Amino acid sequence: MEAVAALERDAQLMLQVREGDETSFALLLERHRGPVINFLYRMVQDRAVSEELAQEVFLRVYRSRASYEPAAKFTTWLFRIATHLALNALRDNQKAKGRRSLDHDFGEAIERHVADRQPTIEQELIRNTQLKEIRLAIEALPEKQRAAVLMHKYQGLEYAQIAQALQCSESAVKSLIFRAYQTLRSRLAHMAPGALQDTRTRQPGGAGDR
Amino acid sequence: MICLKDNSQGAEILTDYCAGSLEAIRAAEFEAHLHDCGTCRSQVELQRQVWNALDAWPPVEASPGFDARLYARIESEQKRWWRRAMRGLLWNPLVPAAGAAAMLAIAVLAWIPGEHRAPQPAPSASAEKIDVQQVEQALDDMDLLIPVSQSPRVL
Ligand SMILES: [Zn+2]
């Protein structure tokens, strides 16, 4: 029920943007800025690049306002743009890809973490190691599997929506997602549940970024 | 009975069950099966650990200047569009001067009141009132009164 209401609201806002209503664009930005940035951030694992790509996503949304028709869910359309840009950026930067950005951003995550709770140094080390493992495991996934699993896990998109975002069939998307989780199970399942639980309860929104 | 072993839908059942999106009847059926099947229990446990591990990756916040940067880009893109459109009119040899001036005035009238404005900052209340001076000012702003060869390059 909530999803239907959200669909109507977003589509309505976008139609108002089409009519020249500036406030509606600001509202759409407010509603989707966080999820889009986080999706892109987890795709490319670089703060600056993800923000630049997110800017491009919303710029394209604004550019497309005149031709917008609410054929698909707004979120699906939005993540189709975001996925397209992320995959292109990853392909373009394949050669330059290295550990630099990951380590740089990781330092930032550590700082925020420490400020949040002041756990013991040992707890903090365990957590940081685990976070790094998660990020490396996601980074190691093939790009389409990565995009699919991130949209499934953090954005809570349905298989059909992810299929539209990736422009492939629903069965192909399921295959991407199940293979990704299988890989992640073999890489991450050894982590101690207690330590992860501890970190998890601190997160706003727990199950994702929606 | 739903068992993940030798089940073509096993991966989907496991994923949906742990994501909480398996329909209630099937979830209840699967839970009943879990009491008796150690293989399925361990699969569920592994998938839950992955699910929880991914929850441990904290979301990031947008940087404070994100919206301002976006609106500035929209605004500058619109100015470029405007400039190109106006240049096309003014410097097209096929468009006679009087006609070009008339089209320019129409374009300005069509442009300023609404939908091509950047969403922020909010426009002034007098935007709808167009006069000759305002059009000239707009042209000055857009570098349209100098020849293309002397004007800065438009990207
Ligand atoms: Zn079983």
Side-chain angles (χ1 to χ4, degrees), chain A residues 57-180:
Chain A
V57 170
F58 288 106
L59 201 58
R60 286 181 190 214
V61 167
Y62 191 73
R63 268 184 213 151
S64 316
R65 69 200 180 285
S67 58
Y68 176 77
E69 292 293 342
K73 281 186 178 177
F74 177 81
T75 322
T76 308
W77 182 62
L78 187 68
F79 276 90
R80 183 168 170 171
I81 299 172
T83 304
H84 177 80
L85 290 172
L87 293 176
N88 279 352
L90 286 169
R91 275 169 209 147
D92 290 348
N93 289 306
Q94 207 119 50
K95 283 181 196 163
K97 204 170 120 188
R99 290 282 156 271
R100 186 202 55 79
S101 64
L102 181 60
D103 290 339
H104 170 77
D105 278 2
F106 191 61
E108 196 174 41
I110 291 168
E111 279 171 36
R112 192 174 44 237
H113 232 74
V114 172
D116 279 357
R117 283 184 97 207
Q118 268 134 37
T120 65
I121 290 170
E122 193 187 354
Q123 280 174 319
E124 198 53 43
L125 275 172
I126 291 168
R127 237 180 245 133
N128 290 338
T129 308
Q130 287 174 335
L131 257 178
K132 193 164 188 169
E133 259 189 272
I134 293 162
R135 295 178 59 161
L136 287 171
I138 292 286
E139 196 189 30
L141 292 173
E143 288 152 8
K144 279 197 165 184
Q145 282 189 31
R146 197 189 315 171
V149 87
L150 290 176
M151 282 187 271
H152 180 263
K153 167 64 187 151
Y154 294 105
Q155 265 58 55
L157 298 194
E158 292 161 11
Y159 297 123
Q161 286 183 284
I162 302 169
Q164 283 186 59
L166 283 170
Q167 291 180 272
C168 60
S169 69
E170 207 174 310
S171 62
V173 151
K174 285 179 181 177
S175 166
L176 287 172
I177 291 173
F178 304 152
R179 272 185 287 148

Side-chain angles (χ1 to χ4, degrees), chain A residues 22 25-26 29 33 37-38 41-42 45 47 51-52 55-56 58-59 62-63 65 131 134-135 152-154 159 174 178 181 184-185 189 200 203 206-207, chain B residues 11-12 14-16 46-47 49-63 66-67 69-71 73-74 77-78 115-119 123:
Chain A
E22 300 159 13
F25 183 75
L29 179 60
R33 185 203 300 110
I37 288 178
N38 274 290
Y41 172 60
R42 288 177 175 127
Q45 303 210 13
R47 285 295 294 271
E51 288 223 351
E52 187 53 36
Q55 292 257 323
E56 195 58 37
F58 288 106
L59 201 58
Y62 191 73
R63 268 184 213 151
R65 69 200 180 285
L131 257 178
I134 293 162
R135 295 178 59 161
H152 180 263
K153 167 64 187 151
Y154 294 105
Y159 297 123
K174 285 179 181 177
F178 304 152
Y181 279 128
L184 293 174
R185 280 199 294 275
R200 194 170 70 252
Q203 300 310 322
Chain B
E12 186 166 356
L14 177 65
T15 305
D16 290 355
L46 280 173
Q47 177 63 14
Q49 282 175 20
V50 167
W51 194 259
N52 293 343
L54 294 175
D55 278 339
W57 190 355
V60 293
E61 297 277 325
S63 64
F66 184 86
D67 289 7
R69 283 205 311 281
L70 176 64
Y71 290 131
R73 283 181 70 176
I74 288 173
E77 188 169 287
Q78 287 179 340
E115 71 178 56
H116 299 291
R117 261 190 335 249

Side-chain angles (χ1 to χ4, degrees), chain B:
Chain B
M1 183 197 85
I2 306 178
C3 184
L4 302 177
K5 268 185 295 183
D6 304 321
N7 186 338
S8 60
Q9 289 190 307
E12 186 166 356
I13 293 164
L14 177 65
T15 305
D16 290 355
Y17 177 72
C18 294
S21 57
L22 191 64
E23 62 177 304
I25 296 170
R26 298 199 82 196
E29 196 187 340
F30 186 52
E31 261 161 23
H33 171 72
L34 285 177
H35 286 292
D36 306 322
C37 182
T39 312
C40 287
R41 267 203 311 276
S42 67
Q43 284 294 300
V44 165
E45 182 55 29
L46 280 173
Q47 177 63 14
R48 279 201 172 131
Q49 282 175 20
V50 167
W51 194 259
N52 293 343
L54 294 175
D55 278 339
W57 190 355
V60 293
E61 297 277 325
S63 64
F66 184 86
D67 289 7
R69 283 205 311 281
L70 176 64
Y71 290 131
R73 283 181 70 176
I74 288 173
E75 182 119 22
S76 95
E77 188 169 287
Q78 287 179 340
K79 278 182 182 168
R80 281 204 302 273
W81 182 92
W82 209 95
R83 261 183 229 158
R84 273 199 300 267
M86 293 304 102
R87 280 218 177 94
L89 284 178
L90 274 187
W91 304 110
N92 187 340
L94 297 175
V95 181
M103 285 171 76
L104 196 59
I106 291 164
V108 168
L109 283 166
W111 171 266
I112 293 180
E115 71 178 56
H116 299 291
R117 261 190 335 249
Q120 271 186 357
S124 70
S126 61
E128 285 175 37
K129 197 182 162 206
I130 308 294
D131 58 23
V132 177
Q133 214 178 354
Q134 208 174 356
V135 173
E136 281 172 2
Q137 182 60 52
L139 292 176
D140 278 338
D141 290 347
M142 300 295 167
D143 307 331
L144 282 169
L145 296 179
I146 52 171
V148 176
S149 58
Q150 292 170 28
S151 64
R153 187 170 167 264
V154 177
L155 295 173

